[in-house]
Amino acid sequence: MSASSASAEKTERLLNLILALKSTRRPIPKDQLRRSLPAYADAPSVEAFDRMFERDKDELREMGIPITTTVVDVLFDDEVGYRIDPSETSLPEISFEPDEVAALALAARTWSTASISGTATAGLRKLRLAGVEIDESLAAGVEPRIRTTEPAFDPVRAALSARQPITFDYRKNDGTVSTRHVRPWALKHWHGRWYLTGHDVDRGAERAFRLGRVVGPVRKKGRAGSYEVPADHVPEVSLAAQAPEPQGSAVVRVRHGRGHVLRQAASRTQDLDHRWAEIEVPYERGRTERDIAALGSHAVAVSPPELVEGVRAALLRTIETHAPAAHQGGSADE
């Protein structure tokens, strides 16, 4: 089964589960769901069904879809059923002010050079079909462009769809670069970054790779359709297994509207004034320094001391790297 087929089957299974749990007035026991939904009925064992059902419940809850668990019979409290209250997932009618519509049109143009340009265009088309009048001339003269993906994204996605092995140079945490040979299994947006999970041929094991650390081109290395993606592969498990253990917590000050990746992991956020907020995040040595340094003047490391020193060193290296070019540019102007 190809990765795209497995993804389509999973999507269909989740949609069928949502429909089943929303359309019932009484909680549905788990064994009834297994009999009713084809994907669950095809599970090779009760244990396999239980694992699949638990994963699906967790995924729907992560999406913000509340699944309630209720005792089916008060006389037998060991039998529970599941249900989604339609009132919890229904949205009120949405209307847009003229300036909001203009912002949507501008956003669609913003993504026009990105890999999700088709999705943005489809979104505008659906708004028009719903009777929303979109006057794109309101944003005339503004032509923003955003590159949403790392250069490796498109070739990796193509290889994943074709189930074709690839090879690429990869920069590790310590800065060294090595060539990797990988059978792609999944692409996952996790904690603000894109990752590839798959089988590392050289190491003979499952691995996860951050696309932002791929150096140079992604090259095909083998026939399309030459391997199968494991049916039980869960990208989040691979990513969590390879994530470094946090070494305590870090305190960082970030400007409002900046540092979204850091803010996603924050356990505490405190507004200091109209320009700055202070957040507390897990401290992952190396990664946290890079995230802060990448924000330049929009973030300041507060503690621990080793984080402050690491960010300072990263910024000094950046200055040293660009200083020769800046000096040459200054000489030319003179």
Side-chain angles (χ1 to χ4, degrees):
M1 180 187 300
S2 67
S4 57
S5 298
S7 177
E9 288 188 3
K10 177 182 177 181
T11 301
E12 182 180 3
R13 186 176 74 243
L14 291 176
L15 286 174
N16 286 338
L17 179 59
I18 292 172
L19 291 173
L21 296 181
K22 283 188 66 173
S23 60
T24 181
R25 294 186 177 181
R26 295 174 56 85
I28 304 178
K30 188 163 62 173
D31 58 346
Q32 184 177 337
L33 285 170
R34 186 183 182 190
R35 293 193 303 269
S36 304
L37 302 183
Y40 291 151
D42 293 339
S45 65
V46 174
E47 292 76 13
F49 159 68
D50 285 339
R51 289 195 298 271
M52 186 186 304
F53 180 61
E54 292 302 319
R55 284 200 303 266
D56 289 348
K57 280 197 304 175
D58 291 341
E59 188 151 349
L60 291 182
R61 283 169 174 157
E62 288 179 4
M63 294 178 188
I65 301 175
I67 300 177
T68 59
T69 303
T70 310
V71 174
V72 176
D73 191 331
V74 294
L75 299 179
F76 300 94
D77 59 5
D78 59 339
E79 184 178 13
V80 298
Y82 304 90
R83 182 173 180 266
I84 296 174
D85 186 347
S87 64
E88 296 285 340
T89 56
S90 299
L91 292 174
E93 183 178 351
I94 299 175
S95 60
F96 298 99
E97 297 296 327
D99 58 337
E100 293 173 328
V101 175
L104 290 171
L106 179 60
R109 292 220 303 271
T110 301
W111 302 113
S112 63
T113 59
S115 60
I116 62 169
S117 59
T119 304
T121 302
L124 284 185
R125 184 167 58 249
K126 290 180 180 179
L127 289 175
R128 289 191 181 97
L129 292 175
V132 177
E133 183 178 351
I134 298 177
D135 184 0
E136 298 188 39
S137 65
L138 292 174
V142 181
E143 290 296 333
R145 292 290 183 265
I146 292 179
R147 177 72 178 175
T148 61
T149 63
E150 292 83 355
F153 183 90
D154 287 333
V156 168
R157 182 178 60 176
L160 177 64
S161 299
R163 287 183 293 122
Q164 186 167 22
I166 55 176
T167 181
F168 51 83
D169 293 334
Y170 189 73
R171 187 180 68 254
K172 296 190 294 185
N173 288 335
D174 60 8
T176 60
V177 177
S178 61
T179 301
R180 316 300 282 266
H181 299 83
V182 179
R183 295 171 182 168
W185 286 354
L187 274 171
K188 180 69 179 179
H189 194 256
W190 199 65
H191 293 308
R193 295 182 174 89
W194 280 103
Y195 290 84
L196 163 69
T197 59
H199 179 76
D200 189 317
V201 176
D202 300 316
R203 290 155 181 77
E206 182 177 340
R207 289 289 188 271
F209 305 91
R210 199 171 106 190
L211 292 191
R213 292 185 183 168
V214 174
V215 179
V218 175
R219 303 172 294 277
K220 299 175 182 177
K221 192 71 173 181
R223 296 182 297 103
S226 58
Y227 64 90
E228 294 293 333
V229 177
D232 60 349
H233 174 59
V234 181
E236 293 84 351
V237 174
S238 297
L239 293 166
Q242 291 188 214
E245 287 294 328
Q247 298 167 311
S249 59
V251 177
V252 186
R253 290 178 182 172
V254 292
R255 290 184 188 272
H256 292 308
R258 302 283 183 167
H260 301 296
V261 171
L262 285 170
R263 290 175 184 270
Q264 286 179 349
S267 59
R268 176 180 66 85
T269 301
Q270 177 184 356
D271 289 341
L272 300 179
D273 53 35
H274 68 285
R275 296 176 61 194
W276 293 91
E278 188 172 271
I279 62 175
E280 186 171 345
V281 298
Y283 178 31
E284 300 174 7
R285 190 183 300 276
R287 174 175 174 174
T288 306
E289 284 87 346
R290 286 191 297 271
D291 287 346
I292 297 172
L295 291 169
S297 62
H298 300 297
V300 178
V302 177
S303 67
E306 54 266 34
L307 170 66
V308 177
E309 183 57 36
V311 173
R312 181 183 293 111
L315 293 174
L316 287 174
R317 285 195 299 270
T318 301
I319 293 172
E320 291 170 358
T321 299
H322 293 281
H327 179 71
Q328 292 171 7
S331 299
D333 290 340
E334 292 174 1

